[in-house]
Amino acid sequence: MLDLRLYMAQRLSAMVMIPLTLGHIAVMIYAVQGGLSAAEILGRTKGSVIWFLFYGLFVLSVSLHASIGLRVIVHETLGLKGRALDIFMWLAGLVLLATGLHALFAVTL
C-alpha cells in the first residue's frame, strides 16, 4: 500500500511541477530577451510574496518528487530495502527541501 501512495504522490507532484516549470522557463526567456541581468532579475524577486509562493510550491513539489524517484533508483541499483530505504528517502527529501528553501529565502526575502 505504501508503494501505491508513493506512486500517486510522485505523479501528483509531477502534475504540480509541469505548470511551474513551464512558467519558470517562460519568465526566464522573457527576462533574458528583455535584456535583464541576473542582478536585475533577483532585484525584482526580493520581497515578492507571489514569487515566494510560486517558487516555494516548486521547491516542495521537486523535493517530494525527487526523493521518491531516488528511493526507486536506490532500491533497483543498490538493493536497499525496508526501513533503510525509507530512511534514505526521508533524508534525501529533507536535504533537497533544506537546500531549496535556503535558495528560496536568499532570492525572495
Side-chain angles (χ1 to χ4, degrees), residues 20-65:
L20 295 174
T21 301
L22 294 174
H24 171 74
I25 291 170
V27 168
M28 291 300 106
I29 290 171
Y30 173 77
V32 171
Q33 286 183 344
L36 293 175
S37 69
E40 291 169 324
I41 293 169
L42 291 175
R44 293 181 181 197
T45 62
K46 286 284 188 190
S48 172
V49 174
I50 298 296
W51 288 122
F52 179 82
L53 294 174
F54 179 88
Y55 283 111
L57 184 57
F58 209 165
V59 165
L60 291 173
S61 61
V62 167
S63 299
L64 175 65
H65 187 84

Side-chain angles (χ1 to χ4, degrees), residues 88-102:
F88 171 81
M89 180 190 72
W90 282 104
L91 288 176
L94 289 174
V95 167
L96 291 168
L97 182 62
T99 56
L101 289 175
H102 179 74

